Amino acid sequence: MTTAREIMTSDATCARESDTVHDAAVTMAQKGVGALPICGEDNRLKGMITDRDIVVKVLAEGKDPRAVHVGELAQGEVVTIGADDDAQEILRTMSEHRVRRLPVIDGHDLVGIVAQADVARALSNPTAGELVEALSYD
C-alpha cells in the first residue's frame, strides 16, 4: 500500500495570509511550482493559491498583485489528505473534489503536497489514466 507520505513532496513552502500575491508569485517561480498552501499566522492551513488564481482573480480583474493579500484568495474549507492515507484514497479525493494538488497533513501539521503527477507515477497506468480523465475539465 503506497501512502501519501511516500509519494508527496515534503518541502512544501507556505504562503502566509499576510503575504502579497506578488510575493506568492515570486515564491512559485523560485520553487518551480504552480501552487502554494496558504498558512495562517497560527500555522494552520487556510487554503491554496494557484498560478491560475493569480491570473484569473487578480490580474484579469485589474487588481494590483502587490496590494492584494494571499489570504483574500483563500476560500472555503481546504481539501486535504492524511499522510498515512493510501493512493486509492488520494485518487478518490482528487476525483471527488476535482483538485490536482492535495496538502498532506499529519494531525494538524502540513507535511507535504501530493500532486496529480505524484499519484500518476505511483499508480498503474490504467488507474493514472482514470485520474487524469476525472480531473479533466469540460
Side-chain angles (χ1 to χ4, degrees), residues 17-19 21 38 57 63 67-75:
E17 285 181 296
S18 58
D19 290 348
V21 169
I38 301 170
K57 297 176 183 175
K63 297 176 182 173
V68 177
H69 292 94
V70 170
E72 296 173 50
L73 301 181
Q75 298 178 353

XYZ file of all heavy atoms in Angstrom, residues 17-19 21 38 57 63 67-75:
120
model
N -0.977 34.230 4.967
C -2.175 35.008 4.642
C -1.833 36.474 4.400
O -2.450 37.127 3.566
C -3.188 34.941 5.788
C -3.925 33.634 5.906
C -4.914 33.664 7.052
O -4.481 33.793 8.214
O -6.126 33.552 6.767
N -0.849 36.971 5.107
C -0.481 38.386 5.018
C 0.474 38.690 3.856
O 0.722 39.859 3.559
C 0.150 38.838 6.329
O 1.292 38.047 6.616
N 1.001 37.663 3.186
C 1.873 37.890 2.029
C 1.063 38.502 0.894
O -0.129 38.224 0.743
C 2.471 36.577 1.511
C 3.499 35.964 2.432
O 3.949 36.639 3.375
O 3.844 34.781 2.206
N 0.115 38.821 -3.125
C 0.047 37.881 -4.247
C 1.351 37.930 -5.032
O 1.834 36.900 -5.504
C -1.186 38.182 -5.125
C -1.143 37.410 -6.427
C -2.467 37.875 -4.353
N -1.696 27.990 1.722
C -1.796 29.242 2.463
C -1.879 28.886 3.936
O -2.766 28.138 4.350
C -3.045 30.047 2.061
C -3.029 30.367 0.570
C -3.158 31.323 2.907
C -4.343 30.950 0.049
N -8.107 35.756 -10.722
C -8.717 36.540 -9.647
C -7.996 37.849 -9.341
O -8.534 38.692 -8.625
C -8.786 35.700 -8.373
C -9.667 34.476 -8.522
C -9.630 33.635 -7.268
C -10.466 32.370 -7.442
N -10.340 31.497 -6.279
N -6.479 43.970 -10.666
C -6.012 44.258 -9.309
C -4.491 44.275 -9.274
O -3.831 43.632 -10.086
C -6.542 43.209 -8.332
C -8.061 43.202 -8.216
C -8.534 42.080 -7.307
C -10.042 42.034 -7.228
N -10.510 40.855 -6.478
N -0.807 44.687 -3.898
C -1.756 45.228 -2.922
C -2.733 44.169 -2.405
O -3.333 44.348 -1.354
C -2.536 46.392 -3.538
N -2.899 43.079 -3.155
C -3.820 42.010 -2.747
C -3.052 41.015 -1.886
O -1.943 40.600 -2.242
C -4.420 41.292 -3.982
C -5.306 40.135 -3.564
C -5.184 42.282 -4.855
N -3.648 40.634 -0.777
C -3.011 39.666 0.120
C -3.516 38.257 -0.175
O -4.673 38.060 -0.552
C -3.248 40.044 1.579
C -2.521 41.295 1.949
N -3.108 42.531 1.890
C -1.237 41.498 2.320
C -2.225 43.451 2.228
N -1.073 42.854 2.491
N -2.637 37.304 -0.006
C -2.925 35.898 -0.295
C -4.174 35.428 0.452
O -5.002 34.711 -0.097
C -1.693 35.028 0.057
C -2.024 33.562 0.012
C -0.542 35.349 -0.881
N -4.330 35.852 1.685
C -5.480 35.443 2.487
C -6.813 35.820 1.865
O -7.831 35.166 2.116
N -6.826 36.851 1.027
C -8.053 37.268 0.361
C -8.515 36.235 -0.671
O -9.672 36.229 -1.073
C -7.853 38.625 -0.321
C -7.567 39.754 0.640
C -7.214 41.046 -0.070
O -7.961 41.448 -0.991
O -6.178 41.648 0.287
N -7.604 35.370 -1.118
C -7.937 34.369 -2.129
C -8.283 33.012 -1.530
O -8.752 32.123 -2.240
C -6.777 34.216 -3.119
C -6.375 35.486 -3.874
C -5.237 35.184 -4.824
C -7.549 36.089 -4.615
N -8.043 32.834 -0.231
C -8.375 31.564 0.433
C -9.891 31.473 0.544
O -10.536 32.374 1.059
C -7.730 31.500 1.808
N -10.448 30.387 0.015
C -11.908 30.247 0.012
C -12.320 28.915 0.599
O -11.782 27.871 0.225
C -12.449 30.313 -1.407
C -12.188 31.624 -2.100
C -12.700 31.596 -3.524
O -13.119 30.566 -4.023
N -12.668 32.740 -4.172
